Every structure is written in structure tokens, then in C-alpha cells.
């Protein structure tokens, strides 16, 4: 969260204690308490939603898996917290991150035309460059883990201290399937097979990206959604990871750095998977209720399993969208209400091939549907 101006600080004063309490609950690994506090203080004095929807969603994802939440997802939860932690006055690290990021993207006017305040919000909350600079290059994650995160949450994480030191790599997308995504490192040619959690949702096979490859139990993964870049940019960064800011700045007209949000279980933005599952590709997905999205998730899963083609952008990875839907607590809660006898077999087949930990959700649903 960005540092508020003086008028904004006065308006936020009654909320500071709540914000700090929510941050503390998250840092201690108490997603239930954090969500309870946010729901109890959902709107501001003007009746506007106070919290970012993506924060509600990540807490709901944590609660959906509960004790089955994998260590890598706990690490991603810590990364999101480090990135979004409440500003401290005159935070030199945030100030430096903003300076470096604006130099790369070309100034606030290239971030938003709705004024400097809105531009700074977009930069800090949703810009890929800012997130990487503050969280990793300037040590935001390392400081958060060392000074803010509760020891029990850190103990559940998967090699989080190594994540904090991971460099940016240049990669090329080789292939993707229901369960996996294969990347090629541009520096060594090594093939990296990762679970398909939607990291390639905006990437075409053969395209190049920048991303941080981090260690996890049994292999590696990307710490978050990668950035699609021209091949020459990725090759330059592969040869010299420290050059990544310069490489992006020199090609910024060809690179979209906005639109990124912290994620836990997957890297598919909510509007994307909702739009993909909408009955009409042109419909406003947010108008569809969770029950409708649950129905469409099961129908799309059946189509994917049977190799059928449905309406929607051909380049969108539908497997990732189905997986994202089954990572949504509100959608999963409606499946038992709308599922038919035939859907039990669909969910069973899906749980056998989809990337973890959605397979756990699938097996839970199968047992629930059978009991019902």
C-alpha cells in the first residue's frame, strides 16, 4: 500500500489500527482473522470498498486449502505481504523503488492519465517492475521475513530465504499442458518443467519472458507471473541478470508492465478466468454469480477433458482458467449445489491430471458429491 498524502492520512486515521491489525494477522498466518477484520470494515466513510479485491481472494485461497496449503503457496503468501505491507512515513526503500521504476517505465504519465495519485497507486500495487525492485532487488522480502513475518508462518514456507536472493532469468515458453508448463533457460538451454498454475496465461509458445526461478521442494517454479518481453531483451538479461532494469527501459515501448497482482495458488487474474468462463465471451463476467461460474467451470472442464473447443479466445489456456475457478472459495462452495451425477466423473478425471494443489480440491469435491 502506498504512503498517503496528508489529507488522505487524516481520512485514513480511523482505519490505521484496522490496517495494522489485518497486516499482523496475515503475518502471523491467521488468514481467518485477517479476513474477518476486512469483512467487518469492508467500506470506507464514503461507502466505497476499502480493500483490494485481490487481497480478499488470496486470503480465501489460503482458507480453501487450510492445512493442505503447500509450502510454495505459503512462500507466495509471504511475497504478497512483503509487497503490500503498509507504508511507513519516509520509507527510503519505497521511495527508491518508485524512482527506479518510474525511470524504467517512463514517468507517472505512462502509468495512468488520471493524475499522479492514481498513477502511484497503479505503480505500487500492480506494476511488475516496481514489485520486483522493491520486493527483491531492494530487499523488501528479506526484511519482511526477518522483521515482520511470524515464525510459524515462515516455518511453513518453502525455502523463502532462497527466494529472496533469486535473480531474474530470461526464459522461453516451450510447451504447456493441463498439468505442466515447460520453459527453456536462455542462458543454459536447460528445460524447466513447472506445474501449470497459469504462469503462461499471457504467453504464446515460443515467446520470451523475464521471471525469477525459485527453488521449491522437488524442483523449481516462478515466484510470480513472468513479464513477456522481446526475445532480445530476454537474451540480454539471461547473459547479465543485473541488466534487467536497463533492458526493459530500452524497450519499454514494446513491454506492458502493468496489470500484475500478488497471487498465491495461481497466476490467472480473476477478470481473465471469469471472462473465459462467461457464457458469452463479450459478457461482463463480474455480473455472473458464483453458481453460474461453477457451472461453466465444470462444463469447460468437460470440454477440455474431451478435447472439445468452446467459444473464447483461442490463445487463452483454458486449463489454467478451470484451475483458477477451482481455487476460488466462492465457486467451489457452489459446486455441490449445481453439480449433476455426470459432473462427479468430470471432477474425478480433472483431479487426476490438474496441477497441485487443485487436485486436492478436486478429490474433496468428489467425496462430497458422492456423499450428497
Amino acid at each position: 500500500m502506498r504512503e498517503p498524502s496528508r489529507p488522505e492520512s487524516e481520512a485514513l486515521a480511523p482505519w490505521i489500527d484496522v490496517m495494522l491489525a489485518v497486516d499482523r494477522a496475515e503475518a502471523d498466518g491467521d488468514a481467518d482473522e485477517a479476513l474477518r477484520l476486512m469483512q467487518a470494515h469492508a467500506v470506507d466513510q464514503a461507502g466505497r470498498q476499502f480493500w483490494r479485491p485481490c487481497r480478499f481472494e488470496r486470503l480465501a485461497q489460503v482458507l480453501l486449502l487450510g492445512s493442505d496449503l503447500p509450502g510454495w503457496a505459503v512462500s507466495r503468501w509471504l511475497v504478497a505481504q512483503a509487497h503490500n505491507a503498509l507504508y511507513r512515513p519516509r520509507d527510503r526503500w519505497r521511495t527508491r523503488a518508485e524512482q527506479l521504476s518510474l525511470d524504467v517505465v517512463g514517468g507517472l504519465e505512462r502509468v495512468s492519465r488520471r493524475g499522479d495519485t492514481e498513477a502511484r497507486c497503479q505503480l505500487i500495487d500492480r506494476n511488475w517492475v516496481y514489485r520486483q525492485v522493491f520486493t527483491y532487488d531492494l530487499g523488501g522480502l528479506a526484511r519482511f521475513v526477518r522483521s515482520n513475518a511470524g515464525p510459524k508462518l515462515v516455518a511453513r514456507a518453502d525455502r523463502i530465504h532462497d527466494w529472496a536472493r533469486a535473480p531474474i532469468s530470461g526464459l522461453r515458453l516451450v510447451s504447456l499442458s493441463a498439468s505442466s508448463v515447460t520453459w527453456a533457460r536462455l542462458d543454459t538451454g536447460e528445460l524447466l518443467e513447472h506445474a501449470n498454475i497459469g504462469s503462461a496465461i499471457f504467453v504464446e509458445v515460443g515467446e520470451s519472458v523475464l521471471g525469477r526461478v525459485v527453488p521449491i521442494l522437488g524442483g523449481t517454479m516462478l515466484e510470480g507471473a513472468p513479464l513477456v518481453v522481446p526475445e532480445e531483451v530476454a537474451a540480454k538479461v539471461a547473459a547479465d541478470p543485473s541488466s534487467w532494469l536497463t533492458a526493459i527501459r530500452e524497450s519499454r515501448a514494446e513491454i506492458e508492465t502493468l496489470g500484475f497482482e500478488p497471487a498465491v495458488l495461481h497466476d490467472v487474474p480473476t477478470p481473465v478466468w471469469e471472462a473465459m468462463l462467461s457464457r458469452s465471451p463479450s459478457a461482463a463476467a463480474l455480473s455472473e454469480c458464483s453458481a453460474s461460474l461453477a457451472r461453466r467451470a465444470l462444463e469447460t472442464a468437460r470440454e477440455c477433458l474431451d478435447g472439445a473447443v468452446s467459444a473464447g479466445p483461442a490463445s487463452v489456456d483454458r486449463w489454467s482458467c478451470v484451475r483458477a475457478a477451482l481455487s476460488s472459495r466462492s465457486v467451489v462452495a457452489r459446486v455441490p449445489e449445481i453439480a449433476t451425477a455426470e459432473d462427479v466423473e468430470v471432477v474425478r478425471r480433472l483431479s487426476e491430471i490438474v496441477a497441485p494443489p487443485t487436485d486436492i480440491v478436486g478429490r474433496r469435491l468428489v467425496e462430497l458429491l458422492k456423499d450428497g
Side-chain angles (χ1 to χ4, degrees):
M1 181 173 290
R2 65 183 176 82
E3 183 176 4
S5 64
R6 179 171 293 182
E8 290 173 321
S9 295
E10 294 174 355
L12 284 173
W15 292 81
I16 295 298
D17 288 344
V18 175
M19 295 160 70
L20 291 172
V22 171
D23 282 357
R24 184 69 263 160
E26 270 207 88
D28 287 338
D30 192 344
D32 195 31
E33 175 64 6
L35 192 59
R36 184 192 69 78
L37 287 168
M38 290 169 62
Q39 290 172 334
H41 303 84
V43 296
D44 63 17
Q45 297 93 324
R48 298 167 300 192
Q49 181 170 303
F50 185 75
W51 310 93
R52 288 187 296 276
C54 65
R55 191 168 189 179
F56 278 107
E57 181 58 29
R58 79 171 183 242
L59 290 172
Q61 289 177 15
V62 170
L63 291 171
L64 175 66
L65 269 295
S67 60
D68 290 322
L69 191 70
W72 60 261
V74 177
S75 294
R76 279 177 155 229
W77 188 15
L78 284 167
V79 171
Q81 291 183 57
H83 172 225
N84 291 142
L86 184 64
Y87 255 87
R88 296 180 183 277
R90 295 175 296 279
D91 185 333
R92 65 189 179 95
W93 299 111
R94 295 280 189 182
T95 300
R96 183 57 177 156
E98 183 176 326
Q99 292 170 343
L100 289 170
S101 302
L102 288 176
D103 177 61
V104 171
V105 303
L108 287 173
E109 64 277 5
R110 291 182 61 88
V111 178
S112 174
R113 298 183 182 278
R114 298 180 180 178
D116 288 358
T117 298
E118 174 64 19
R120 283 194 168 88
C121 286
Q122 291 294 318
L123 179 79
I124 293 169
D125 291 344
R126 308 189 66 203
N127 186 270
W128 192 91
V129 173
Y130 178 92
R131 178 177 180 272
Q132 297 297 324
V133 169
F134 176 76
T135 309
Y136 292 97
D137 289 23
L138 296 182
L141 175 58
R143 285 192 302 276
F144 183 84
V145 171
R146 183 174 60 249
S147 304
N148 297 79
K152 291 183 179 179
L153 186 60
V154 174
R156 292 172 57 196
D158 194 344
R159 301 184 65 176
I160 189 63
H161 299 288
D162 293 327
W163 284 37
R165 295 188 292 268
I168 285 185
S169 298
L171 309 168
R172 180 186 298 111
L173 180 61
V174 176
S175 64
L176 73 162
S177 68
S179 59
S180 66
V181 177
T182 302
W183 304 93
R185 295 187 65 108
L186 296 183
D187 54 347
T188 65
E190 177 187 5
L191 295 181
L192 304 174
E193 185 173 308
H194 294 166
N196 185 0
I197 61 170
S199 301
I201 191 70
F202 297 124
V203 191
E204 299 279 0
V205 170
E207 283 190 318
S208 299
V209 302
L210 300 182
R212 293 186 194 267
V213 179
V214 293
I216 60 173
L217 182 65
T220 61
M221 72 181 302
L222 289 172
E223 60 81 34
L227 180 71
V228 179
V229 297
E231 183 176 358
E232 59 271 20
V233 173
K236 180 175 181 179
V237 175
D240 178 11
S242 66
S243 71
W244 74 272
L245 284 170
T246 299
I248 294 176
R249 183 177 65 245
E250 291 175 347
S251 299
R252 63 189 174 207
E254 304 172 69
I255 302 172
E256 178 54 69
T257 62
L258 281 173
F260 292 83
E261 296 179 345
V264 175
L265 295 182
H266 62 81
D267 289 325
V268 186
T270 298
V272 172
W273 68 258
E274 287 186 338
M276 182 66 211
L277 297 180
S278 294
R279 290 196 171 275
S280 167
S282 61
L286 292 178
S287 67
E288 296 209 22
C289 68
S290 297
S292 296
L293 291 170
R295 179 70 262 153
R296 281 296 298 144
L298 294 177
E299 291 172 356
T300 304
R302 183 189 298 275
E303 292 167 357
C304 288
L305 289 165
D306 294 342
V309 177
S310 63
S315 61
V316 173
D317 176 15
R318 293 188 298 154
W319 285 112
S320 291
C321 292
V322 170
R323 188 184 184 284
L326 294 181
S327 298
S328 168
R329 197 182 184 197
S330 60
V331 170
V332 170
R334 303 302 292 273
V335 169
E337 301 174 19
I338 55 87
T340 65
E342 292 76 16
D343 290 325
V344 178
E345 179 63 12
V346 171
V347 177
R348 185 195 65 76
R349 291 170 61 196
L350 187 67
S351 65
E352 291 179 350
I353 64 172
V354 77
T358 311
D359 58 335
I360 297 174
V361 177
R363 288 194 294 273
R364 288 181 185 174
L365 283 172
V366 168
E367 293 304 314
L368 188 61
L369 294 174
K370 284 181 177 178
D371 292 342

